[in-house]
């Protein structure tokens, strides 16, 4: 029997004296692999050439599946002052540990030319306009944007 801790008087240890291990404790953790959504807001966005082109402002989540569909990015040198947000397909963004930001596989001009929404239109994004997935897929079709519905 193992030694009791204060408040555990007389309580025996696990069979064989081996402490059970959590399935989470066994996961490799060379770097943090989970991130809270609130920490994504403000993260830098880089184009394929590693040039910072803006920052993430919000996430768009499919209510049915719970999956993140788009990262809404403010592009430009002063992202806080930007009036339009660019929905970037989440499946195409890759986190880069060296830059501590998200890399999108297009050049800056292609990203800026993509469909965008104003801050005023954001409340209706994906609600009143069912054509958003089609317009974004048409723009990003070379990058095999998967359907989320």
């Amino acid at each position: 029997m193992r030694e009791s801790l204060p408040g555990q008087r007389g309580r025996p240890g696990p069979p064989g004296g081996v402490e059970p291990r959590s399935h989470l404790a066994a996961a490799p953790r060379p770097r943090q692999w989970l991130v809270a959504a609130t920490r994504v807001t403000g993260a830098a966005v880089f184009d394929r050439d590693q040039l910072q082109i803006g920052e993430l402002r919000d996430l768009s989540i499919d209510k049915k599946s719970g999956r993140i569909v788009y990262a809404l990015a403010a592009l430009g040198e002063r992202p806080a002052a930007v009036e339009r947000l660019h929905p970037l397909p989440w499946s195409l963004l890759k986190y880069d540990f060296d830059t501590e930001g998200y890399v999108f596989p297009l050049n800056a001009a292609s990203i800026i030319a993509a469909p965008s929404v104003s801050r005023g239109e954001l409340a209706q994004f994906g609600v009143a306009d069912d054509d958003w997935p089609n317009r974004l897929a048409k723009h990003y079709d070379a990058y095999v944007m998967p359907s989320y519905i």
Side-chain angles (χ1 to χ4, degrees):
M1 179 158 49
R2 75 177 176 174
E3 207 174 293
S4 296
L5 297 174
Q8 294 183 326
R9 217 177 288 154
R11 195 167 117 194
V18 178
E19 294 288 334
R21 292 187 59 187
S22 165
H23 69 283
L24 295 176
R29 305 212 34 157
R31 297 191 183 200
Q32 186 173 352
W33 54 277
L34 290 175
V35 64
T38 54
R39 291 187 57 210
V40 173
T41 300
V45 177
F46 297 87
D47 71 358
R48 69 176 179 204
D49 300 318
Q50 299 289 317
L51 299 172
Q52 185 172 350
I53 57 170
E55 66 182 37
L56 298 181
R57 302 307 300 159
D58 212 340
L59 299 174
S60 178
I61 301 170
D62 182 296
K63 288 181 181 180
K64 289 181 182 178
S65 70
R67 292 185 325 174
I68 298 171
V69 180
Y70 303 111
L72 302 173
L75 306 180
E77 291 180 19
R78 296 178 41 225
V82 171
E83 287 299 316
R84 299 197 71 77
L85 298 173
H86 287 75
L88 304 177
W90 183 253
S91 62
L92 297 179
L93 283 164
K94 301 296 177 222
Y95 188 78
D96 182 73
F97 286 98
D98 294 329
T99 60
E100 296 185 351
Y102 291 87
V103 178
F104 199 70
L106 276 79
N107 63 29
S110 297
I111 298 168
I112 292 168
S116 62
V117 293
S118 70
R119 291 185 186 272
E121 296 168 326
L122 193 55
Q124 295 301 311
F125 176 67
V127 176
D129 186 355
D130 289 337
D131 197 40
W132 263 106
N134 295 331
R135 289 193 303 206
L136 288 169
K138 183 178 178 182
H139 185 80
Y140 296 121
D141 66 350
Y143 300 93
V144 191
M145 188 177 113
S147 173
Y148 69 92
I149 297 178

